Amino acid sequence: MTTFISTILTHTPLWVWGLLAGLVALGLRQSRDQVLTLRRVLLLPASMGAWAFFSAGQAFGWRPATVAAWMAGAALGHAANRWLMLPRRVQALPDGRYAVGGSWAPLVLFITIFMVRYAVAAALAVVPELATLPAFAAAACALYGL
């Protein structure tokens, strides 16, 4: 088992580890209070959602089932966010910018998206036939959306 895992890790391109380091740095930055423009407030969630969406399409093709599973995962994530009623520490400032409270949640989200994408890519590299299994594709796409 250790040889299998080490084989996967050693065959991972270097840029993937650079991406992970960048995501960790970005997540750590989100742990501090910041004052941002509306564009910057929206950029991060939009880009992470787009990354997850394009990951699903890239791995499983741009079929209606892929998009539907991703959207179901996104809807479930939205519902869970509303149900949990996490504190929303964002305040509009008079100058049009926003005071955003620091949180560790973005770091957790970034690492989770990275891990799901890494695990799916590794599984598809080892067993490419998984991409043709509807249950695997639906579960992976729903996780990407979530």
Side-chain angles (χ1 to χ4, degrees):
M1 183 68 162
T2 305
T3 306
F4 177 72
I5 293 171
S6 65
T7 300
I8 289 175
L9 293 175
T10 57
H11 283 84
T12 300
L14 281 178
W15 67 265
V16 173
W17 304 120
L19 175 65
L20 177 59
L23 289 171
V24 169
L26 190 59
L28 290 173
R29 184 173 181 202
Q30 300 303 310
S31 68
R32 295 179 292 156
D33 293 351
Q34 301 179 66
V35 175
L36 305 168
T37 64
L38 178 60
R39 180 175 175 223
R40 292 261 329 267
V41 168
L42 298 177
L43 180 65
L44 198 53
S47 61
M48 295 310 288
W51 182 34
F53 181 71
F54 287 110
S55 295
Q58 181 183 29
F60 301 102
W62 295 103
R63 296 186 288 267
T66 300
V67 175
W70 185 89
M71 291 176 75
L76 181 61
H78 179 72
N81 188 7
R82 290 291 180 206
W83 181 74
L84 290 171
M85 298 176 75
L86 298 173
R88 314 245 189 279
R89 296 182 42 211
V90 178
Q91 178 183 2
L93 300 175
D95 64 357
R97 296 182 304 157
Y98 293 84
V100 180
S103 172
W104 293 101
L107 176 62
V108 172
L109 178 66
F110 300 162
I111 299 305
T112 302
I113 292 173
F114 177 88
M115 288 174 40
V116 168
R117 183 149 176 17
Y118 187 87
V120 170
L124 291 174
V126 174
V127 186
E129 299 81 33
L130 287 174
T132 63
L133 297 177
F136 182 82
C141 291
L143 276 174
Y144 282 149
L146 181 64

